[in-house]
Amino acid sequence: MPYLYSNPILVKTPPCISCENIGIVKVDEKDWIEYTQTPRNQRRFIQDIFFYKNKADREQIMTGTHAKCFEEMFKEQEEERLQTYCTSCKKITNSSRADYQGEFTCNDCGAEVQEEE
Ligand SMILES: [Zn+2]
Ligand SMILES: [Zn+2]
């Protein structure tokens, strides 16, 4: 059943950490007042206040991050893959490097491999 707004307002969300644009979300005014004007330890959880918004919208209200941008950031965190020569396996193997790693790692033996110039 769709939620019936009693007094819908459009609120600006913080600049998105990915695209740096602000966003607009429709919420009920009373809920926005509760969210922004009640001390954090006295107000309800955001999922209770904005129960009629989906998770992506609530995420945007809290952090400004758009659902689409979040997805793209997540995608970019996927591993990079490369065919490299592993000196421990003594053969060409599949290597991967996750975002947090500096080196490519051989998927066969786990040894660090150098990216070929
Ligand atoms: Zn964005
Ligand atoms: Zn290896």
Side-chain angles (χ1 to χ4, degrees):
M1 203 167 60
Y3 176 75
L4 289 177
Y5 290 85
S6 59
N7 187 20
I9 56 166
L10 297 175
V11 297
K12 285 185 190 162
T13 54
C16 171
I17 55 166
S18 174
C19 72
E20 295 175 4
N21 292 315
I22 60 155
I24 303 283
V25 174
K26 183 165 86 170
V27 295
D28 237 338
E29 189 178 28
K30 62 174 170 38
D31 301 326
W32 186 249
I33 290 169
E34 174 174 359
Y35 178 65
T36 55
Q37 294 180 21
T38 313
R40 197 175 267 255
N41 57 350
Q42 285 168 35
R43 70 163 151 78
R44 291 179 292 156
F45 292 117
I46 187 169
Q47 63 266 33
D48 296 327
I49 302 174
F50 302 115
F51 64 91
Y52 47 92
K53 307 305 291 185
N54 61 30
K55 202 163 168 269
D57 281 346
R58 289 198 300 258
E59 179 67 28
Q60 196 187 323
I61 289 169
M62 283 191 290
T63 65
T65 311
H66 307 115
K68 229 184 81 196
C69 296
F70 190 80
E71 235 171 69
E72 269 162 34
M73 280 189 296
F74 197 70
K75 238 188 271 165
E76 279 168 22
Q77 279 174 14
E78 273 178 28
E79 303 178 327
E80 281 179 66
R81 283 174 179 275
L82 205 67
Q83 294 267 321
T84 45
Y85 182 77
C86 174
T87 49
S88 0
C89 297
K90 308 251 183 290
K91 61 177 184 181
I92 305 281
T93 60
N94 255 315
S95 301
S96 61
R97 180 179 69 168
D99 237 24
Y100 53 88
Q101 290 175 311
E103 306 282 338
F104 280 86
T105 309
C106 169
N107 285 352
D108 284 0
C109 72
E112 286 184 352
V113 290
Q114 294 299 318
E115 226 176 308
E116 280 178 73
E117 301 295 315

